[in-house]
């Protein structure tokens, strides 16, 4: 799409404003046009008598022109840094924040900013990022929910068919609930359950990648206040899908390898004969490896929007994500965690009633569903699948929207992307206004 901003090129910092004219007012002259200090000027022939002379009254010096009244909003703006914001933070003079907006009386806080779409064009807060993701879903609901619903329905149909025809684990569930089962039977049942979970997770991952690719385009256009149809989103995202799949699977592989490296030593110790020590070592190694994996996943969390919007290769997308996350790891981790918790709560509110309803209509009723003895019949799979579709239809846009807006926020803070976004949105002169004005307000 030709009207999207140049995502690959960082925005340039606004130029410095012109210095005001400091030239003072002209020297006063008398009514005759001569300089009073000129010693060659002649006295008038008609002078008053000597007794009527009065001492001249001193004249006050010329007053400087009064400063103009403050502009609308919080007050004047200090010389801008990258992005037109005086740096990555806001604050009053002397507050320690690099640059930022100044306000009368030392009050801090950003002034109103241009908002052509779902977010204002300035560094975003946590609430603004979450609100931007929800606003995208609410404003462009036909496209967003259409994409999410289509992907969720196709994904869930495949999952239901696999679980009903191929991955029927009723026998494995019965073995796992049987206290008299042997170790070999438990191991076999546990392996079958892990295979089923892995296949379902893989299918769900494929659907998530499709939804993320399409919703990334929708969210990036929503920032500019421009709508996009499902066909346009598909046409823009389709060339990048193979690389996106490669990126996602590479990240999964990295995570699995890290966790395996942490767990394998404990397994080897357990096999050697020390089961208790091996189990403890495996648990500790798994926890440590999980921490490392989470740290890496957050550093690479912005690689997906970088790949889709900047049209980068997989290695460059990973390096771009590392660069954008550097110095903001905890902030991005907190926002991603909060968005995940909110999305999961929404999904649970929807999925759990459908699961209970599916248990009511299954063969053994609610008792069989709770005890895990009931079989996963087609009635149970279909009803619970409907709940999963509705949950995914709402959680896909939240997760994808938060990730894209985090990427845009980091580029606004580091690379003045707000200037490119303003130009792409048609805001003329954004970021070039002088002190006392707010660009785009």
């Amino acid at each position: 799409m030709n009207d999207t901003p140049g995502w690959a090129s960082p925005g340039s910092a606004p130029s410095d404003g012109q210095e005001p004219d400091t030239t003072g007012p002209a020297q006063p002259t008398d009514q005759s046009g001569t300089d009073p200090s000129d010693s060659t000027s002649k006295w008038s022939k008609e002078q008053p008598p000597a007794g009527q002379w009065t001492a001249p009254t001193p004249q006050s010096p010329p007053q400087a022109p009064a400063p103009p009244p403050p502009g609308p909003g919080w007050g004047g703006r200090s010389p801008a840094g990258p992005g037109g914001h005086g740096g990555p933070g806001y604050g009053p003079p002397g507050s320690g924040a690099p640059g930022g907006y100044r306000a009368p009386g030392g009050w801090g806080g950003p002034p109103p900013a241009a908002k052509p779409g779902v977010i204002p064009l300035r560094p975003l807060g946590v609430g603004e990022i979450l609100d931007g993701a929800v606003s995208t879903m609410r404003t462009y609901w036909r496209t967003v929910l259409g994409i999410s619903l289509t992907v969720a329905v196709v994904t869930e149909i495949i999952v239901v068919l696999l679980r009903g025809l191929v991955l029927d684990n009723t026998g494995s569930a019965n073995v796992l609930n049987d206290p008299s089962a042997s170790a070999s039977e438990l191991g076999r049942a546990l392996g079958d359950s892990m295979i089923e979970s892995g296949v379902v997770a893989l299918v769900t991952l494929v659907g998530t990648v499709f939804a993320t690719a399409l919703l990334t385009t929708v969210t990036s256009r929503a920032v500019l206040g421009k709508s996009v149809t499902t066909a346009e989103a598909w046409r823009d995202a389709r060339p990048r899908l193979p690389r996106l799949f490669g990126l996602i699977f590479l990240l999964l592989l990295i995570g699995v390898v890290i966790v395996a490296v942490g767990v394998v030593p404990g397994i080897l110790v357990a096999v050697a004969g020390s089961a208790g020590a091996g189990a403890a070592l495996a648990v500790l190694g798994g926890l440590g490896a999980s921490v490392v994996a989470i740290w890496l996943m957050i550093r690479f969390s912005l690689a997906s929007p970088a790949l889709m919007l900047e049209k980068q290769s997989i290695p460059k997308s990973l390096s771009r994500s590392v660069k954008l996350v550097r110095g903001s790891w905890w902030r991005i981790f907190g926002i991603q965690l909060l968005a995940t918790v909110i999305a999961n709560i929404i999904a649970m509110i929807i999925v759990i009633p459908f699961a209970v309803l599916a248990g009511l209509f299954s063969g053994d009723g609610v008792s069989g569903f709770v005890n895990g003895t009931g079989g996963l019949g087609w009635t149970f799979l279909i009803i619970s699948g409907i709940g999963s579709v509705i949950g995914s239809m709402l959680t896909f846009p939240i997760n994808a929207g938060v990730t894209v807006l985090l990427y845009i926020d980091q580029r606004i803070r580091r690379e003045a992307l707000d200037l490119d976004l303003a130009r792409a949105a048609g805001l003329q002169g954004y970021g070039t206004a002088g002190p006392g004005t707010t660009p785009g307000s």
Side-chain angles (χ1 to χ4, degrees):
M1 287 169 276
N2 296 328
D3 53 354
T4 54
W7 297 100
S9 58
S12 57
S15 59
D16 296 333
Q18 297 292 332
E19 295 293 332
D21 187 8
T22 57
T23 304
Q27 296 293 332
T29 57
D30 59 10
Q31 294 181 355
S32 63
T34 60
D35 190 348
S37 61
D38 190 359
S39 59
T40 61
S41 60
K42 298 182 179 180
W43 295 87
S44 173
K45 294 182 179 180
E46 297 180 359
Q47 299 290 338
Q52 298 181 6
W53 285 14
T54 58
T57 58
Q59 296 182 356
S60 60
Q63 299 292 331
W74 286 92
R77 188 178 63 145
S78 62
H85 303 291
Y90 296 97
S95 63
Y101 287 95
R102 299 181 179 178
W107 290 91
K115 189 178 180 181
V118 295
I119 60 170
L121 299 184
R122 56 170 171 76
L124 304 175
V126 178
E128 290 171 326
I129 292 176
L130 296 175
D131 180 70
V134 175
S135 298
T136 301
M137 181 170 54
R138 184 176 63 247
T139 306
Y140 306 100
W141 62 270
R142 288 186 178 87
T143 302
V144 172
L145 296 184
I147 292 173
S148 301
L149 179 62
T150 302
V151 174
V153 166
V154 173
T155 301
E156 196 60 33
I157 288 176
I158 297 175
V159 169
V160 168
L161 293 176
L162 286 175
R163 297 180 69 181
L165 299 176
V166 180
L167 303 173
D168 186 5
N169 67 342
T170 304
S172 300
N174 294 332
V175 171
L176 292 174
N177 292 321
D178 185 6
S180 61
S182 63
S184 60
E185 291 175 342
L186 290 174
R188 190 180 306 110
L190 183 60
D192 293 340
S193 298
M194 292 180 63
I195 291 174
E196 178 194 5
S197 300
V199 172
V200 172
L202 182 61
V203 174
T204 304
L205 176 64
V206 173
T208 303
V209 170
F210 269 100
T212 301
L214 298 177
L215 293 174
T216 296
T217 301
V218 177
T219 306
S220 64
R221 295 289 294 273
V223 171
L224 304 177
K226 300 177 181 179
S227 61
V228 57
T229 64
T230 304
E232 291 174 339
W234 169 250
R235 185 167 58 249
D236 186 72
R238 182 176 57 188
R240 316 300 304 169
L241 279 175
R243 291 187 178 182
L244 184 61
F245 275 111
L247 173 65
I248 299 299
F249 284 114
L250 177 60
L251 294 178
L252 283 177
L253 180 61
I254 292 174
V256 170
V257 169
I258 292 175
V259 174
V261 169
V263 173
V264 165
I267 296 177
L268 294 178
V269 171
V271 171
S274 181
L281 182 59
V283 171
L284 292 177
L287 290 176
S290 298
V291 171
V292 175
I294 291 174
W295 178 76
L296 278 177
M297 292 304 105
I298 296 301
R299 286 177 65 87
F300 295 147
S301 61
L302 303 184
S304 174
L307 185 144
M308 294 299 299
L309 297 177
E310 298 182 22
K311 297 179 172 52
Q312 299 277 11
S313 63
I314 293 177
K316 289 185 178 180
S317 299
L318 294 174
S319 63
R320 283 286 289 154
S321 178
V322 170
K323 178 182 177 182
L324 293 174
V325 173
R326 185 180 296 119
S328 303
W329 190 95
W330 284 106
R331 178 176 179 272
I332 293 176
F333 170 74
I335 296 176
Q336 293 275 30
L337 179 61
L338 179 61
T340 302
V341 170
I342 293 174
N344 287 336
I345 290 176
I346 294 174
M348 289 173 60
I349 292 174
I350 297 172
V351 170
I352 290 178
F354 277 91
V356 174
L357 185 63
L360 289 173
F361 288 96
S362 63
D364 295 335
V366 178
S367 60
F369 170 73
V370 173
N371 297 327
T373 58
L376 297 180
W378 288 105
T379 302
F380 180 88
L381 293 174
I382 292 174
I383 296 177
S384 60
I386 293 174
S388 298
V389 167
I390 298 175
S392 299
M393 183 179 65
L394 298 178
T395 56
F396 280 159
I398 294 177
N399 291 327
V402 167
T403 301
V404 175
L405 293 180
L406 267 175
Y407 162 83
I408 293 175
D409 173 58
Q410 288 301 110
R411 288 202 59 184
I412 288 176
R413 293 171 181 268
R414 296 177 180 271
E415 302 173 356
L417 184 64
D418 56 330
L419 301 180
D420 286 336
L421 293 175
R423 285 191 288 267
L427 301 178
Q428 301 297 330
Y430 181 86
T432 60
T437 60
T438 303
S441 61

